[in-house]
């Protein structure tokens, strides 16, 4: 609080106030996010020392409310920009079939968008009331939020009125009531159905600035074939070569796997470090049956093992000895999974469930350049594959004993080539006999 007398101040603004007949100026900062000054409120009175303690508390409270409102609007704007960036990135992370199902959640005119926004608003208001508490009722029938300084101001005004009434001096009760009414009116949100300015936001602690508190998409799918792979000895390899060479090696391998996904009609799910995860019978346009999905998953796994042997480890020129090629372990299981889109930043199509965990266990306990599958998957493939090795019973942590089957794709490929050579020789012999 500063007293303005034009003859005693060196500030030009003070002199202007004094010439207009004002003798008292009260300046209250507008603080954003706890301490950053975004401006100030300047109040003028003609009387000297014209602002009482209640006036100062009131104006300071208004400054706090304006700061909270500015901060809240800034958060809303940042949330909208984050949603826009996420929608642009979805096309790189989410299968097109899933995108077609979740785009309605960003369409403000769709029923899905309105229902989720309504549910989120209800959750946010309930959380805010439980945290901040409130007194009285708003025009909408709910309990409005109050800032701490509002209670300080009201309690001080009540005490001041009681003192004045007790002393018989009375007071400017009408003016104080008008100030309280001002706070109450500001406490009511002026949000309209078109999403225009919401006015003064009293409390931001219980507000939900995320675009949605629910998964954008979720679904349970039955009989999904999950294929897990990882590189044998990857940790040791990555210690012997530069980080750039590690990334180049993974890029070379995963690009080959991506091409195999297109060949066999397999959906790539994700890569985690050196692990590559894909699936069949998930988000497929045509339903050719569960056995067909299992056969395609197995064919994909067999080609992945063969293709990995075509990628050499990029050891430096000083490396002595033969340059080895990569080997991978593969695990496959079939079962029910839960899938959905999670995350606001870098949104991701994710699968989870016992089937996913079982496929990961099959990969972890598999052997180099081998495919290990569960009995369920083996029985589903049936007679479509005849190169299985003898079944084994292995213990799995927290899952007990599990009957599994191994497959050696390299041995099968060698045997197929030998058979092709024999067939070619027999055809040549037949042609020579016919010519003779």
């Amino acid at each position: 609080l500063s007293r303005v007398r034009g003859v005693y101040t060196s500030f030009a603004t003070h002199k202007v106030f004094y010439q207009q007949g004002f003798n008292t100026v009260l300046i209250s900062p507008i603080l954003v996010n706890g301490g950053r000054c975004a401006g100030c409120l300047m109040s003028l009175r003609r009387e000297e020392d014209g602002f009482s303690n209640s006036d100062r508390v009131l104006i300071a409270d208004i400054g706090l409310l304006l700061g909270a409102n500015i901060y809240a609007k800034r958060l809303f704007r940042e949330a909208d920009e984050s949603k826009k960036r996420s929608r642009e990135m979805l096309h790189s992370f989410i299968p097109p079939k899933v995108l077609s199902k979740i785009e309605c959640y960003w369409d403000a005119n769709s029923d899905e968008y309105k229902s989720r926004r309504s549910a989120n608003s209800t959750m946010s208001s309930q959380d805010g009331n439980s945290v901040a508490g409130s007194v009285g009722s708003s025009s909408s029938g709910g309990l409005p939020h109050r800032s701490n300084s509002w209670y300080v101001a009201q309690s001080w005004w009540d005490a001041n009125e009681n003192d004045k009434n007790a002393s018989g001096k009375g007071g400017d009760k009408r003016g104080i009531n008008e100030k309280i009414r001002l706070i109450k009116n500001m406490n009511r949100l002026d949000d309209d159905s078109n999403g225009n300015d919401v006015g003064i936001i009293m409390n931001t602690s219980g507000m939900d600035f995320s675009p949605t508190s629910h998964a954008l998409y979720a679904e349970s799918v039955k009989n999904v074939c999950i294929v897990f792979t990882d590189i044998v000895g990857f940790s040791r390899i990555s210690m012997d070569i530069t980080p750039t060479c590690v990334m180049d090696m993974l890029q070379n391998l995963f690009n080959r796997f991506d091409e195999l996904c297109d060949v066999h009609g397999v959906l790539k799910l994700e890569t985690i470090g050196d692990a590559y995860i894909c699936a069949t019978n998930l988000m497929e346009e045509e339903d050719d049956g569960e056995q067909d999905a299992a056969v395609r998953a197995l064919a994909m796994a067999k080609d992945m093992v063969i293709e990995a042997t075509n990628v050499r480890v990029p050891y430096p020129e000083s490396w002595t000895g033969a340059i080895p090629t990569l080997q991978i372990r593969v695990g496959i299981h079939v079962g029910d999974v839960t899938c959905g889109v999670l995350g606001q930043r870098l949104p991701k199509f994710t699968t989870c469930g016992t089937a996913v965990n079982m496929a990961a266990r099959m990969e972890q306990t598999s052997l180099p350049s081998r495919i290990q599958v569960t009995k369920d998957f083996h029985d589903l493939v049936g007679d479509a594959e005849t190169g299985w090795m003898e079944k084994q019973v292995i213990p799995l942590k927290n899952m007990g004993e599990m009957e599994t089957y191994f497959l050696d794709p390299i041995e099968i490929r060698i045997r197929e080539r030998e058979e092709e050579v024999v067939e070619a020789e027999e055809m040549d012999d037949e042609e020579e006999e016919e010519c003779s």
Side-chain angles (χ1 to χ4, degrees), residues 38 70 95 155 166 199 223 234 310 344 412:
I70 294 173
S155 62
N223 297 323
F234 176 75
N310 296 326
Q344 170 61 18
I412 293 175

Side-chain angles (χ1 to χ4, degrees), residues 194-263:
N194 296 324
N196 295 327
D197 190 351
V198 297
I200 300 298
I201 299 177
M202 303 292 291
N203 188 309
T204 61
S205 61
M207 299 179 64
D208 182 11
F209 295 103
S210 61
T212 175
S213 58
H214 305 283
L216 293 177
Y217 166 78
E219 184 179 0
S220 294
V221 185
K222 295 182 177 298
N223 297 323
V224 176
C225 300
I226 305 292
V227 180
F228 261 79
T229 73
D230 79 336
I231 299 174
V232 177
F234 176 75
S235 298
R236 175 184 51 80
I237 294 173
S238 60
M239 293 175 62
D240 296 333
I241 60 179
T242 63
T244 302
C245 290
V246 172
M247 292 295 104
D248 291 342
M249 180 184 69
L250 292 177
Q251 178 74 0
N252 185 4
L253 180 65
F254 291 163
N255 275 347
R256 295 169 182 264
F257 290 172
D258 290 345
E259 293 177 359
L260 291 177
C261 286
D262 295 334
V263 171

